[in-house]
Amino acid sequence: MSGFTLGLTLLGALVLAAVVGWNAWTTRKLAPRQVEMAARDDPADGAAPDPEPREPVFDESEPAPLPVPERKPGLDALIDAIAPIAIDLPVSGEAAQAAMPATRRAGSKPFAIEGLNESSQHWETPQAGRRYTAFQAGVQLANRTGALNEIEYSEFVVKAQAFADAVNGSPEFPEMLHEVARARELDQFAGAHDAQLGFTLLARQAAWSPGFVHQHAARFGFVAGAIPGRMVLPAAHAGHPPMLVLSFDSQAAMAEDPAQSAIREVTLSLDVPQVPRGEQPFLRMRDAAIGLAAGLDGVITDDNGREIRPEALDGVGADLELLYDTLESRDLAAGSPQARRLFG
């Protein structure tokens, strides 16, 4: 082989090696980022790195609040049309349960019947083994499906009357047009003050694997939700909606090999009326967004894909304080039973 031919062969081999190396580097750079390995000691101090990944460590210096079961909120004249049902003699809980309608809705609105407990003198959903001296039926005036309409009100009357007949009671229904007008006014207020915030985190370069997202989100208190691709920051009280929700592509979460799934965006959301102001949900959301953006190497954007600088988030928080004030002035404080029902 001549020197010229040998030179060309070596040059070709070098070019091929460079191309292979470039492809390998590019593939590695663009591959979904995986769960990070944790070290027992700083390798700079001469200690060997930990060969096994470890679960995120949480600060246990303060005990976590114990979940407190919540009493189911009862009918409230603020957001319900209520019909008192008078009875001549006490009715057993068993008889009341047998007379209850098969469904607890009138159209798209929640419908409920409560009895006045003879012993406690508290209104409650009829229960076996108790006696009731009066009843009341109610239908919710508005929710996120809209205002109570005439057809739904008529269905409420039919169901309440059937129950009253079964327990030998006499219902007194409020005037339909008045209640429908109240429902429309309440729906208008709710529509003007229903805030659901959302931030999207976009990957700057390499995509993320589901495990990588879970690892970083867990550092801010998020746990896996019941739905694939969904994590939640639990509320302080059992039975309450989650404080925050983090969601990403459910198909990536259900893939046969999740480690090879590529996620390029995750969404943080806060349903403002559902979470008490005192839990500072927006502050938790802000800190999580900034921290996740740093840890995941992502950028915070709005619904239109425009970048949101961390300092701009403070302005959103100030606007929320005004909304909280407005809800409280209407006796519909964020996170209250009435607000959770109205904005549900």
Side-chain angles (χ1 to χ4, degrees):
M1 182 181 294
S2 68
F4 178 74
T5 303
L6 179 62
L8 287 178
T9 301
L10 291 175
L11 178 60
L14 289 174
V15 171
L16 178 60
V19 170
V20 171
W22 170 259
N23 287 339
W25 180 83
T26 302
T27 299
R28 183 176 179 181
K29 183 181 176 76
L30 297 179
R33 299 179 66 178
Q34 305 298 322
V35 175
E36 298 172 336
M37 308 287 278
R40 288 194 178 92
D41 296 290
D42 186 352
D45 294 336
D50 189 341
E52 298 179 358
R54 303 196 316 194
E55 294 296 324
V57 177
F58 300 96
D59 182 8
E60 298 182 355
S61 58
E62 295 185 8
L66 296 176
V68 178
E70 182 193 22
R71 177 182 176 273
K72 185 178 179 180
L75 295 172
D76 190 312
L78 180 67
I79 61 172
D80 294 303
I82 300 176
I85 302 174
I87 53 178
D88 295 329
L89 297 173
V91 174
S92 69
E94 290 82 355
Q97 288 180 329
M100 296 283 278
T103 62
R104 299 294 189 270
R105 301 191 82 81
S108 63
K109 305 300 181 293
F111 167 87
I113 291 176
E114 296 179 337
L116 184 62
N117 187 304
E118 185 179 45
S119 299
S120 69
Q121 291 298 297
H122 291 156
W123 292 101
E124 64 185 25
T125 300
Q127 301 179 43
R130 301 182 181 180
R131 288 162 57 86
Y132 299 95
T133 56
F135 293 97
Q136 59 182 9
V139 62
Q140 194 165 313
L141 293 171
N143 56 14
R144 280 177 171 158
T145 67
L148 179 77
N149 58 43
E150 290 85 349
I151 295 176
E152 291 171 325
Y153 187 87
S154 298
E155 184 178 340
F156 156 64
V157 169
V158 170
K159 288 186 173 183
Q161 184 66 62
F163 174 84
D165 291 342
V167 297
N168 295 318
S170 301
E172 183 180 345
F173 295 102
E175 204 274 323
M176 181 179 69
L177 294 181
H178 178 266
E179 295 305 300
V180 169
R182 279 213 306 144
R184 290 172 179 163
E185 191 278 330
L186 184 62
D187 181 58
Q188 289 175 356
F189 172 84
H193 299 88
D194 189 0
Q196 299 179 67
L197 293 180
F199 297 140
T200 299
L201 274 64
L202 300 178
R204 291 183 183 274
Q205 297 183 17
W208 314 307
S209 68
F212 189 71
V213 173
H214 273 254
Q215 183 183 51
H216 282 272
R219 295 169 182 167
F220 294 91
F222 285 86
V223 298
I227 303 173
R230 175 183 166 103
M231 300 184 72
V232 298
L233 182 62
H237 299 281
H240 286 211
M243 186 182 305
L244 300 174
V245 174
L246 183 148
S247 56
F248 54 88
D249 183 11
S250 60
Q251 295 299 319
M254 295 187 295
E256 291 185 7
D257 185 2
Q260 298 305 313
S261 298
I263 299 170
R264 300 204 62 85
E265 66 178 57
V266 298
T267 300
L268 266 175
S269 57
L270 164 62
D271 195 340
V272 177
Q274 295 287 330
V275 185
R277 182 183 201 172
E279 293 185 19
Q280 298 184 306
F282 180 75
L283 180 61
R284 299 287 297 272
M285 185 183 193
R286 174 187 179 277
D287 291 347
I290 294 174
L292 286 171
L296 298 173
D297 188 23
V299 57
I300 306 171
T301 69
D302 60 18
D303 292 340
N304 297 316
R306 295 172 298 198
E307 181 175 359
I308 302 176
R309 305 297 302 174
E311 55 271 18
L313 297 177
D314 293 332
V316 178
D319 291 338
L320 273 186
E321 291 301 313
L322 297 177
L323 175 60
Y324 285 133
D325 291 340
T326 302
L327 291 174
E328 290 173 5
S329 70
R330 186 67 183 257
D331 293 328
L332 291 167
S336 66
Q338 295 87 347
R340 296 205 308 275
R341 289 176 58 202
L342 177 61
F343 294 96

